[in-house]
Amino acid sequence: RFRTDVNRGMGWVHPYLARDCSYSSNTDTNNNNNNNNAQNNHDANNDNSNNEEKEEEVGGRDTEKQHLRIMKLSDVKKAVMDGRFMEVQWSNTVALAMLHLSLE
């Protein structure tokens, strides 16, 4: 756990390194397709109200779309050494993971 908002004492980052993970084609972790389909239909019908709610929630305007990027470990090492992780929380998390892996 690392403090990210030292002036106000409100921000924390909890980095972790996930190991021995694998891909799965099963995206339904509850094995309850009927409830998920009903929820998806409900969500689709309420997209506008959800956007309005996000505007009202704390930090809602600061949220941004994130994209999954799959990288080779060697590319991640190069990116962290080149300073390509611009956000301090990500720089910290990736650099700590690289240090941890180098000690094994």
Side-chain angles (χ1 to χ4, degrees):
R1 174 175 138 158
F2 297 91
R3 188 176 301 277
T4 59
D5 189 358
V6 295
N7 291 337
R8 295 174 294 256
M10 296 172 59
W12 293 92
V13 63
H14 299 266
Y16 65 92
L17 177 61
R19 304 289 309 262
D20 299 319
C21 300
S22 61
Y23 289 99
S24 172
S25 61
N26 182 7
T27 58
D28 179 17
T29 58
N30 294 325
N31 293 326
N32 194 349
N33 290 328
N34 291 336
N35 285 342
N36 284 343
N37 288 337
Q39 183 64 41
N40 288 341
N41 289 337
H42 176 73
D43 289 346
N45 293 332
N46 291 319
D47 277 346
N48 290 337
S49 64
N50 286 341
N51 288 337
E52 291 168 7
E53 288 173 12
K54 282 189 176 188
E55 290 291 318
E56 297 298 320
E57 73 184 43
V58 175
R61 293 184 182 137
D62 292 334
T63 58
E64 59 191 41
K65 187 178 263 187
Q66 296 185 6
H67 302 279
L68 176 64
R69 177 180 283 182
I70 298 172
M71 299 172 70
K72 295 178 184 177
L73 184 58
S74 59
D75 293 335
V76 174
K77 286 180 184 178
K78 181 168 178 17
V80 76
M81 294 304 294
D82 291 345
R84 290 185 25 218
F85 293 95
M86 302 304 291
E87 184 71 32
V88 70
Q89 294 93 329
W90 290 111
S91 299
N92 175 63
T93 299
V94 175
L96 285 172
M98 294 298 100
L99 284 171
H100 180 79
L101 292 172
S102 71
L103 297 174
E104 293 184 346

